[in-house]
Amino acid sequence: MNPHFKLTKQQRSGVFFLLLVVIGLQGIYFYSKTETFDLRASIFAKNCDLQQQIDSLKRLAQVKDTAKIYPFNPNFITDYKGYMLGMSVAEIDRLHDYRKTDRYVDSAKEFQEVTQVSDSLLNTISPYFRFPEWSQHKRKPYVKYTPRTNMAISGSTIRDLNSASIDELTSVYGIGEKLATRIVKFRDRLGGFLVNDQLYDVYGLRPEVVERALLQFQVLHKPDIKKININSATSSEIAELVYIRYDVANKIVRYRNEKGGIATFGELRAIEGFPSEKIDRIKLYLLL
């Protein structure tokens, strides 16, 4: 055994330094591996907020795939609706705490200031926000048609909008057979136009085309409309009105039951989803 394991002094020194090199390299390897793990953990911790936003947007995308999102007043977001929109519990609680002080948010910017939602989530849900018209002091007023006395063109006379046929309506530049049919169907659903402004409510009919149409057609004979008593009608009866969706009709009935009745039409503006911008039209069909 001696010839194989007997080493000189120089050989023993070489083996010793070799061991030191091996131990040093092992130490460097384990140290760098630990640093990499700590760095990854740090990056993951810093991205928790981003991951929460991503999860919120994913939930919102799932909602879009399963159910249509209707315009709503963000002041009345419930816990469930807020969760489905992608808001966190803390963000929903901030909104509810703010509402407990009997204050309302009047813009998407103010909504973000109160709830502290992220910019990405705000940009996704804010297009569905609908605030009452009276709260939008800087909002451009709704374009309304102002009747004029000299409405005839080339000696033609004004014809009744409530008796105009599809062929007659297509004589207006910008109204084809499709739009003319849509106007007649909308008129039938209303039971007849009560005011000229209701022509603006026909889907797809541009304001400038409405202006041209009203040069030839106006409400000359108003139909007899049976008005709906808002304090006694059922949800189904209220929903028969073109301007009010069935879910909003249910909310009106719940609000009426909670308050013991509706005293003024202005109270309807506080109901989530109510089309406040069309309150002047809706009042034509309601009784208190």
Side-chain angles (χ1 to χ4, degrees):
M1 297 293 291
N2 287 338
H4 295 285
F5 293 96
K6 185 175 181 180
L7 303 174
T8 64
K9 184 177 181 179
Q10 290 181 341
Q11 290 173 333
R12 287 196 300 272
S13 298
V15 172
F16 176 74
F17 284 114
L18 179 62
L19 289 174
L20 287 179
V21 171
V22 171
I23 293 172
L25 292 175
Q26 288 287 339
I28 293 173
Y29 170 76
F30 285 110
Y31 177 77
S32 62
K33 186 176 182 180
T34 303
E35 286 293 319
T36 302
F37 177 79
D38 293 340
L39 179 60
R40 290 178 179 176
S42 176
I43 293 174
F44 179 78
K46 290 180 180 179
N47 285 338
C48 284
D49 293 339
L50 179 59
Q51 186 62 45
Q52 185 179 11
Q53 296 178 20
I54 294 173
D55 293 340
S56 297
L57 294 176
K58 285 182 177 180
R59 288 197 298 270
L60 182 60
Q62 291 174 354
V63 173
K64 287 184 176 181
D65 291 338
T66 57
K68 182 178 179 180
I69 301 178
Y70 294 98
F72 62 92
N73 188 333
N75 286 288
F76 302 98
I77 291 178
T78 61
D79 291 334
Y80 175 76
K81 188 175 184 67
Y83 171 78
M84 296 305 292
L85 290 173
M87 296 175 64
S88 66
V89 175
E91 292 166 350
I92 299 171
D93 288 343
R94 292 189 193 103
L95 177 63
H96 290 175
D97 292 341
Y98 184 80
R99 287 286 293 109
K100 288 178 181 178
T101 62
D102 201 23
R103 290 181 292 175
Y104 294 83
V105 295
D106 294 331
S107 64
K109 180 180 179 181
E110 189 175 0
F111 177 83
Q112 185 179 36
E113 292 174 353
V114 172
T115 60
Q116 299 178 23
V117 297
S118 63
D119 291 339
S120 57
L121 181 58
L122 181 70
N123 292 336
T124 303
I125 65 177
S126 59
Y128 299 99
F129 288 176
R130 292 296 181 271
F131 298 99
E133 185 70 24
W134 53 266
S135 68
Q136 305 304 293
H137 304 295
K138 296 183 180 180
R139 183 178 292 183
K140 184 178 179 181
Y142 184 79
V143 178
K144 295 184 69 176
Y145 171 75
T146 303
R148 292 169 286 181
T149 56
N150 54 338
M151 298 296 291
I153 295 180
S154 302
S156 62
T157 58
I158 302 299
R159 287 169 285 180
D160 189 7
L161 184 59
N162 279 319
S163 60
S165 65
I166 293 176
D167 290 338
E168 289 174 327
L169 290 171
T170 55
S171 65
V172 179
Y173 177 73
I175 297 180
E177 183 177 353
K178 183 177 180 180
L179 281 176
T181 302
R182 190 176 296 168
I183 292 171
V184 172
K185 287 184 177 179
F186 185 76
R187 182 181 68 193
D188 292 341
R189 289 183 63 193
L190 288 173
F193 293 109
L194 292 178
V195 292
N196 294 331
D197 288 345
Q198 289 180 293
L199 196 57
Y200 286 99
D201 301 332
V202 178
Y203 176 75
L205 202 59
R206 298 192 303 272
E208 61 271 21
V209 177
V210 174
E211 288 289 341
R212 286 196 292 268
L214 291 176
L215 291 173
Q216 302 180 41
F217 301 95
Q218 294 186 37
V219 177
L220 301 180
H221 300 91
K222 295 183 180 180
D224 292 328
I225 298 294
K226 183 180 180 181
K227 293 190 176 183
I228 302 171
N229 192 318
I230 198 69
N231 282 307
S232 61
T234 63
S235 299
S236 299
E237 290 172 337
I238 297 175
E240 289 179 2
L241 184 54
V242 173
Y243 299 105
I244 299 179
R245 301 194 311 270
Y246 189 80
D247 62 314
V248 177
N250 283 328
K251 293 175 183 177
I252 292 175
V253 173
R254 286 200 299 268
Y255 178 89
R256 180 185 71 194
N257 294 338
E258 292 173 359
K259 300 295 183 180
I262 298 174
T264 64
F265 289 116
E267 292 182 59
L268 297 174
R269 299 178 186 271
I271 297 174
E272 181 184 3
F274 183 82
S276 300
E277 69 279 3
K278 292 184 173 62
I279 185 67
D280 292 335
R281 319 263 223 284
I282 294 174
K283 288 192 298 185
L284 299 172
Y285 298 89
L286 300 179
L287 288 174
L288 293 175

